[in-house]
Amino acid sequence: MCHFLQNFAFSLFISFWDHRHTASIAAGNHGIPVVVSNHQFGNASGMAPRAHIAVYKALYKSFGGFAADVVAAIDQAAEDGVDIISLSITPNRRPSGLATFFNPIDMSLLSAIKAGIFVVQAAGNTGPAPKSMSSFSPWIFSVGAATHDRIYNNYIVLGDNLTISGTGLASGTDGDSMYTLVSAMHALKNDSTDANGMYLGECQDPSYLNQDLVKGNILVCSYSIRFVLGLSSISQAIETATNVSAAGIIFYMDPFVLGFQINPTPMSIPGLIIPSPDDSKVFLQYYNNTLVRDNTTKSIIKFGGLAKILGGLTANYSNLAPKVMYYSARGPDPEDNSLTDADIMKPNVIAPGNLIWGAWSSEGADSAEFQVYLTGEKFAMISGTSMAAPHVAGLAALIKQKFPTFSPSAIASALSTTATLYDKLGGPIMAQRSYSNPDSTQSPATPFDMGSGFVNATAALDPGLIFDTGYDDFFSFLCGINGSSRVVLNYTSNNCGNTTMNGVNLNLPSITVALLNQSRTIVRTVTNIGSNETYSVSWSAPYGVALSVIPTKFSIFIGQKQNLTFILNATMNSSAASFGRIGLYGNQGHVAMIPLSVITKVIYNGTIS
């Protein structure tokens, strides 16, 4: 149990690499002061502060874990009667063929669905390539990672007035004073050697440094792959800077550290990390060009570079959000290596996953880097789809509290149909497309980037209409996979009957058609859990597809069901995915949005074009 969580109403099962961080996101107490490195960063609250947390040990720092351990934890959680399972874990490699769905973890989670448990899973941090999802089964609610608008800006201003952006959670240097820049590699004692190469430049040992050269100046250190691996640490470098009386510390990025996101790092002295290799190159060029050397010996006789550090302790909310992060895994459902069977939209939604505050214990951290630089801290700011999933788990607890009879699919529907498609300025949600300079490669997000959109907590508690799907439907879906009968029997002890159920036919709050052969008719059923209401239907069709909906208007009483028929006709051949959207607009204010994806259109002779 987690000491910072209250034991009330609804249960969550959480299994991941650091249970304190993600558990606190889902259900941490309300209004807890966030103090890191003696800096106050405001108060934090979980999504469902009065939820009860049940944590099951399934993974280990030293070697990770096995599917059997996770299955045992899932089964135990189900036996204990939890309402929600939140998994901030994914397989280290995606199964293929029948094993895509028929793997021990996903089948164990299907049993949890049968027991009425809502299952949330991190989509995976393997984006931005298409079909990079690590959570793909239709009974699992898969969550991608998005930004929020809170950022901590800190900068260095160089002596030539050039400003470079950095990352860190630290105060700035005093006032407008400029400080001399001194690289650790240029401040070695006479008896020190650079035999260890960049290791001495990482500022891990003050005994190598000449304090007279560094005192009162800004110490410059390299951030190499050793920091990522946990062999060197920010905290040790700060201790070094403190021991030699440096006024501050700046880390420049080694060019070999590519595609690694630097989380804002708490520092007890003025400092920052320059996360961009390109900006680091500019910084080093300035530093080297301002060194004054002896013409004969080439030894440094003066450090001419100047800088001041502008602190990053105060958050501002100027960041454009939400935005799909480059690392967030993308859909569609990756059943095989082609697109012909990808009939399930993934992820389901996106949620805040980038730079997320949460409770922390270095004893529970899987990453050696986190263990070292956050030792002794009670909070940490971390990024990943692992942080997005518990946001949704907490919201699911709130929905379960309001609608205690909701099935897992009803909860999933409420979260999906009410998700927003727009950023805070009213523009389309964008998706980053590359690891390097991700903002320069972004474009409008598709359903395979963000699912139904960015989760909307308020709207999800009043969805109006829901799309409900039960265990029997998922069972029929599995039986509809070619060659699956014996595997289904092995996992469920039940024989398959005759079924043609596939992903398109499941009553999901989305429609994904992997192979549109001339035309297709699809039926969805909605249930009214809001108020007596009249809905009108409007839509935008995917490119190359003619779409019609029956009915285009309907009145529905509370508890009543309504069938909706969608008729898709291919109007041209295309091998690229195209997207549309269907909106159900109620006269009492409820809105349900359904994303529509058509991956390949076929018109003649069954030939894919």
Side-chain angles (χ1 to χ4, degrees):
M1 299 302 296
C2 305
H3 70 278
F4 50 83
L5 299 169
Q6 298 177 3
N7 301 332
F8 280 90
F10 298 97
S11 300
L12 299 165
F13 157 62
I14 314 229
S15 171
F16 34 58
W17 55 277
D18 179 64
H19 71 272
R20 294 168 181 85
H21 193 271
T22 43
S24 69
I25 295 169
N29 284 348
H30 173 72
I32 303 303
V34 177
V35 180
V36 179
S37 290
N38 298 318
H39 302 308
Q40 168 67 253
F41 293 99
N43 296 331
S45 299
M47 302 304 293
R50 294 172 68 86
H52 175 84
I53 292 286
V55 177
Y56 299 79
K57 183 74 170 177
L59 303 177
Y60 299 85
K61 289 190 295 183
S62 56
F63 65 91
F66 300 99
D69 299 319
V70 178
V71 168
I74 293 169
D75 291 346
Q76 185 62 54
E79 185 176 329
D80 292 343
V82 305
D83 296 295
I84 296 155
I85 291 177
S86 181
L87 291 167
S88 285
I89 59 170
T90 56
N92 57 2
R93 61 181 178 272
R94 179 176 62 81
S96 59
L98 284 178
T100 300
F101 304 114
F102 295 104
N103 64 79
I105 293 177
D106 283 38
M107 293 306 295
S108 179
L109 292 172
L110 180 58
S111 296
I113 293 292
K114 187 177 183 180
I117 301 169
F118 179 67
V119 177
V120 187
Q121 187 176 30
N125 300 328
T126 48
K131 300 191 70 177
S132 53
M133 291 292 303
S134 298
S135 173
F136 31 77
S137 293
W139 51 88
I140 298 172
F141 199 78
S142 310
V143 184
T147 58
H148 49 71
D149 61 359
R150 182 189 64 230
I151 56 175
Y152 294 88
N153 293 115
N154 57 341
Y155 305 92
I156 51 173
V157 180
L158 301 178
D160 61 0
N161 289 324
L162 180 67
T163 298
I164 296 177
S165 177
T167 183
L169 296 170
S171 58
T173 48
D174 290 337
D176 291 327
S177 300
M178 302 294 281
Y179 294 81
T180 300
L181 296 169
V182 179
S183 169
M185 293 302 293
H186 297 150
L188 300 176
K189 291 180 178 178
N190 292 334
D191 57 350
S192 299
T193 68
D194 61 355
N196 290 323
M198 62 179 170
Y199 304 159
L200 293 180
E202 294 171 357
C203 306
Q204 298 298 290
D205 190 342
S207 66
Y208 289 111
L209 299 181
N210 184 338
Q211 182 171 353
D212 293 335
L213 290 177
V214 181
K215 184 177 181 180
N217 298 322
I218 294 176
L219 180 63
V220 177
C221 312
S222 67
Y223 188 102
S224 76
I225 192 66
R226 288 170 52 85
F227 284 83
V228 178
L229 299 175
L231 302 175
S232 296
S233 74
I234 298 293
S235 58
Q236 185 58 50
I238 291 172
E239 184 176 333
T240 294
T242 302
N243 286 339
V244 295
S245 303
I249 189 168
I250 292 174
F251 297 87
Y252 63 87
M253 187 64 60
D254 187 277
F256 292 103
V257 183
L258 296 176
F260 182 77
Q261 176 165 323
I262 304 297
N263 292 303
T265 305
M267 301 183 189
S268 56
I269 64 173
L272 56 74
I273 305 168
I274 304 173
S276 163
D278 291 340
D279 287 345
S280 295
K281 185 182 297 184
V282 171
F283 171 77
L284 288 175
Q285 185 176 29
Y286 167 79
Y287 174 80
N288 289 321
N289 288 343
T290 56
L291 293 174
V292 180
R293 296 180 181 271
D294 183 273
N295 290 333
T296 303
T297 64
K298 303 301 180 182
S299 60
I300 298 171
I301 58 177
K302 181 181 179 181
F303 296 95
L306 299 173
K308 62 180 177 181
I309 300 173
L310 305 182
L313 295 177
T314 302
N316 68 66
Y317 301 89
S318 61
N319 200 28
L320 186 60
K323 177 190 305 179
V324 183
M325 292 304 299
Y326 63 88
Y327 54 77
S328 186
R330 311 300 165 90
D333 154 66
E335 185 176 343
D336 56 28
N337 292 327
S338 72
L339 293 175
T340 57
D341 292 316
D343 284 331
I344 300 165
M345 186 195 74
K346 290 290 180 174
N348 294 89
V349 296
I350 54 174
N354 201 59
L355 305 180
I356 304 300
W357 281 116
W360 181 257
S361 169
S362 55
E363 294 301 315
D366 179 56
S367 166
E369 177 209 11
F370 288 144
Q371 289 181 52
V372 173
Y373 83 73
L374 289 170
T375 298
E377 301 292 355
K378 294 183 178 180
F379 286 88
M381 181 184 288
I382 309 176
S383 299
T385 58
S386 287
M387 286 72 238
H391 278 90
V392 173
L395 290 180
L398 298 179
I399 294 172
K400 186 72 172 176
Q401 182 180 39
K402 183 174 182 180
F403 302 102
T405 62
F406 262 21
S407 69
S409 291
I411 296 174
S413 176
L415 291 163
S416 298
T417 61
T418 58
T420 182
L421 305 173
Y422 304 101
D423 64 30
K424 71 175 189 176
L425 297 182
I429 293 174
M430 305 296 281
Q432 297 176 337
R433 303 292 179 193
S434 69
Y435 273 80
S436 112
N437 299 317
D439 280 340
S440 66
T441 60
Q442 64 187 16
S443 61
T446 73
F448 295 156
D449 300 317
M450 66 175 179
S452 293
F454 184 77
V455 67
N456 183 328
T458 302
L461 289 168
D462 185 21
L465 301 174
I466 58 168
F467 296 77
D468 211 353
T469 309
Y471 170 83
D472 290 343
D473 298 310
F474 295 127
F475 179 83
S476 296
F477 161 76
L478 293 174
C479 289
I481 299 173
N482 288 336
S484 66
S485 297
R486 181 171 296 180
V487 186
V488 171
L489 179 62
N490 288 340
Y491 271 110
T492 68
S493 300
N494 292 314
N495 288 301
C496 287
N498 294 323
T499 179
T500 58
M501 175 75 77
N502 56 33
V504 177
N505 301 131
L506 287 169
N507 195 43
L508 302 174
S510 61
I511 298 174
T512 299
V513 181
L515 184 60
L516 178 59
N517 190 346
Q518 299 186 41
S519 66
R520 186 153 191 175
T521 299
I522 298 166
V523 177
R524 290 287 188 269
T525 302
V526 294
T527 303
N528 185 4
I529 55 90
S531 57
N532 297 342
E533 199 159 0
T534 298
Y535 284 84
S536 57
V537 186
S538 64
W539 60 88
S540 60
Y543 179 75
V545 176
L547 172 64
S548 59
V549 182
I550 304 172
T552 58
K553 189 173 184 178
F554 60 92
S555 295
I556 185 169
F557 296 104
I558 297 175
Q560 186 178 354
K561 297 181 183 295
Q562 172 69 50
N563 287 338
L564 300 170
T565 301
F566 307 97
I567 303 170
L568 287 71
N569 288 287
T571 60
M572 64 176 63
N573 294 348
S574 175
S575 59
S578 54
F579 306 96
R581 201 161 294 272
I582 302 158
L584 310 178
Y585 297 90
N587 64 354
Q588 300 298 316
H590 293 109
V591 177
M593 300 299 295
I594 309 165
L596 172 60
S597 310
V598 178
I599 303 175
T600 303
K601 278 81 74 173
V602 176
I603 298 180
Y604 300 111
N605 301 322
T607 302
I608 299 176
S609 60

